[in-house]
Amino acid sequence: MRWGDCAGLLAGVDEAGRGPLAGPVVAAAVILDERRPVRGLRDSKQLSALRREALADEIRAKALCCSVAEASVEEIDRLNILQATLLAMRRAVLGLRLRPQHVLIDGNRTPVLELSVEAVVQGDAKVAAIAAASILAKVHRDQLCAALHAAHPQYGFALHKGYSTAAHLQALREHGACEHHRRSFAPVAEALHRNGDLLQGLE
């Protein structure tokens, strides 16, 4: 890979949670240690939950450093999901203990950074550090969804992770939205309108 020729530390960055109707968007940045490779890295969506969790533990143990950051529901609604995602990515990179010489971002857009940065389309399938970041971001967001489920079991967050499944949309119709739903997303806005713009738990 051409990125293997980069001098100095290379950070991979990916996100989880752009599409869901609820919860923050999460980004992770990882600088891998070439002397301690992590086997089996790939796009987090191609791995089972158990395998992702095991790899996440191994990444944290073996990477030179890693960082996970979020952009909140309020920031998503205020900025839009793209800008909030880029903000979470920037926070993840700035949260690294070591300063990378080059940053590879999954996708076709890059956050504003005072570093050498490059977007890599389908980077989680091409760059090990991006794949590692995708795993950390996905595991972190799944844990957030488990906590949301515990607080608001009527929505089924543990099952659909906030995505607009038929079950989630039905729950929105029945219960309205909670404070963790993204009000700028159309299905949530429609649920709020139907329920008099009231948030569950805030009436």
Side-chain angles (χ1 to χ4, degrees), residues 8-191:
L9 297 178
L10 175 72
V13 181
D14 203 357
E15 56 76 26
R18 283 186 64 171
L21 305 179
V25 62
V26 175
V30 178
I31 300 177
L32 293 173
D33 186 346
E34 293 181 357
R35 298 165 300 178
R36 304 179 72 196
V38 179
R39 307 296 180 190
L41 291 175
R42 64 189 67 185
D43 178 2
S44 63
K45 294 184 289 294
Q46 298 178 2
L47 300 166
S48 69
L50 286 176
R51 183 60 180 146
R52 279 195 301 267
E53 290 168 7
L55 281 170
D57 288 341
E58 187 175 356
I59 292 163
R60 293 188 193 98
K62 290 183 174 180
L64 290 176
C65 59
C66 52
S67 169
V68 178
E70 303 173 9
S72 68
V73 170
E74 186 276 331
E75 288 170 325
I76 292 168
D77 288 339
R78 176 165 51 86
L79 300 173
N80 76 44
I81 186 59
L82 172 59
Q83 293 305 317
T85 300
L86 295 176
L87 176 61
M89 288 178 165
R90 174 179 168 81
R91 287 171 174 164
V93 173
L94 295 179
L96 288 169
R97 179 177 57 82
L98 302 173
R99 181 182 173 90
Q101 274 67 54
H102 194 62
V103 180
L104 298 179
I105 307 286
D106 183 60
N108 58 10
R109 299 288 294 271
T110 62
V112 176
L113 290 165
E114 294 71 41
L115 296 163
S116 171
V117 59
E118 180 181 355
V120 184
V121 176
Q122 296 183 333
D124 46 13
K126 301 173 182 176
V127 181
I130 294 179
S134 78
I135 291 167
L136 290 189
K138 173 65 173 166
V139 168
H140 181 85
R141 193 171 193 285
D142 283 355
Q143 291 169 346
L144 292 177
C145 286
L148 286 182
H149 184 84
H152 302 278
Q154 68 270 32
Y155 295 104
F157 287 120
L159 297 175
H160 52 64
K161 305 299 189 293
Y163 284 92
S164 55
T165 63
H168 192 185
L169 295 176
Q170 180 61 33
L172 276 171
R173 286 190 289 269
E174 292 179 2
H175 304 290
C178 75
E179 65 269 29
H180 302 288
H181 280 99
R182 301 172 181 178
R183 299 171 70 101
S184 57
F185 281 43
V188 179
E190 292 167 6

